[in-house]
């Protein structure tokens, strides 16, 4: 029995090692590194500037000095950011569909829901509780994963009704109309010269070098005009 158990144990270890060093896993690792490099080119093109920005972000989002006291500071939660996400980020209909889709997914696909939630929920917790950040743009990185729950809801409704393809297209048009409209409006606004750049040029050209002015925290200005009051 001992010899049989030892043989089974060795075979199990070999299978695990074979899976660990499989070609698929290596391809996945290379793909992760490649995608990370493509979406973060500034790390390689200007590392020093990126390092300074990371240090500023760590200080701003209060992740440079983590402790039990600020990990569980629920009084810092800014409900306004969730309201803004509901009202303007995702929109009312898509937000409701996402919540309902999460419930449906939890009962129909519990393992997949748990896996997806292991990324989404800690992300929101980090920004809402630990950092207490108010900017909705902080959620943009995880929103594609969040909207998967809305997609599950729409797909389940389409499967359970007649004319499923038509119902699917109809639901998609209704849910995506408001976000798409706002996306085009934001894209048009960002295609213009930013107000920050206009203000920066005005400060450099119109104000003397020894001037003092009041500005919001974390807003950089070049040269000798970078003064906080």
């Amino acid at each position: 029995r001992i010899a049989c158990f030892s043989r089974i144990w060795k075979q199990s270890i070999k299978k695990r090692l074979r899976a660990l060093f499989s070609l698929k896993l290596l391809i996945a690792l290379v793909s992760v590194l490649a995608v990370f490099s493509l979406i973060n080119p500034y790390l390689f093109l200007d590392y020093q500037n990126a390092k300074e920005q990371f240090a500023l972000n760590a200080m701003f989002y209060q992740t440079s000095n983590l402790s039990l006291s600020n990990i569980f500071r629920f009084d810092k939660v800014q409900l306004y950011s969730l309201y803004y996400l509901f009202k303007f980020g995702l929109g009312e209909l898509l937000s409701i569909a996402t919540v309902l889709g999460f419930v449906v997914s939890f009962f129909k696909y519990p393992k997949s829901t748990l896996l997806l939630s292991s990324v989404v929920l800690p992300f929101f917790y980090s920004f809402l509780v630990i950092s207490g950040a108010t900017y909705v743009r902080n959620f943009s990185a995880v929103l594609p994963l969040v909207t998967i729950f809305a997609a599950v809801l729409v797909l389940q409704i389409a499967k359970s009704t007649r004319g499923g393809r038509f119902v699917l297209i109809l639901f998609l048009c209704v849910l995506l109309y408001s976000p798409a409209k706002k996306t085009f409006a934001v894209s048009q606004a960002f295609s213009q010269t930013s107000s920050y750049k206009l203000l920066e040029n005005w400060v450099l050209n119109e104000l003397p070098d020894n001037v003092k002015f009041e500005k919001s925290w974390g807003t950089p200005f070049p040269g000798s005009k970078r003064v906080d009051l």
Side-chain angles (χ1 to χ4, degrees), residues 60-170:
F60 182 78
Y61 294 112
Q62 303 183 35
T63 57
S64 59
N65 188 25
L66 291 178
S67 63
L68 291 177
S69 60
N70 61 14
I71 289 179
F72 299 104
R73 283 285 303 276
F74 294 99
D75 59 306
K76 296 191 303 181
V77 176
Q78 301 290 336
L79 296 180
Y80 174 77
S81 61
L82 292 179
Y83 169 77
Y84 196 94
L85 180 65
F86 168 78
K87 190 71 175 179
F88 304 104
L90 292 177
E92 296 94 332
L93 292 179
L94 188 56
S95 297
I96 295 173
T98 299
V99 174
L100 295 178
F102 177 83
V103 177
V104 172
S105 300
F106 181 79
F107 289 101
K108 194 168 185 63
Y109 311 104
K111 292 183 179 179
S112 299
T113 303
L114 180 62
L115 180 62
L116 193 57
S117 300
S118 67
V119 178
V120 173
L121 296 182
F123 190 96
F124 276 94
Y125 188 90
S126 298
F127 281 104
L128 290 174
V129 179
I130 296 179
S131 69
T134 58
Y135 299 121
V136 179
R137 64 170 183 257
N138 296 326
F139 305 141
S140 59
V142 80
L143 288 185
L145 298 180
V146 173
T147 52
I148 289 178
F149 295 120
V152 171
L153 177 67
V154 173
L155 187 60
Q156 293 302 316
I157 293 176
K159 285 182 177 180
S160 60
T161 56
R162 293 182 178 180
R165 183 172 297 180
F166 173 77
V167 173
L168 178 62
I169 296 175
L170 178 63

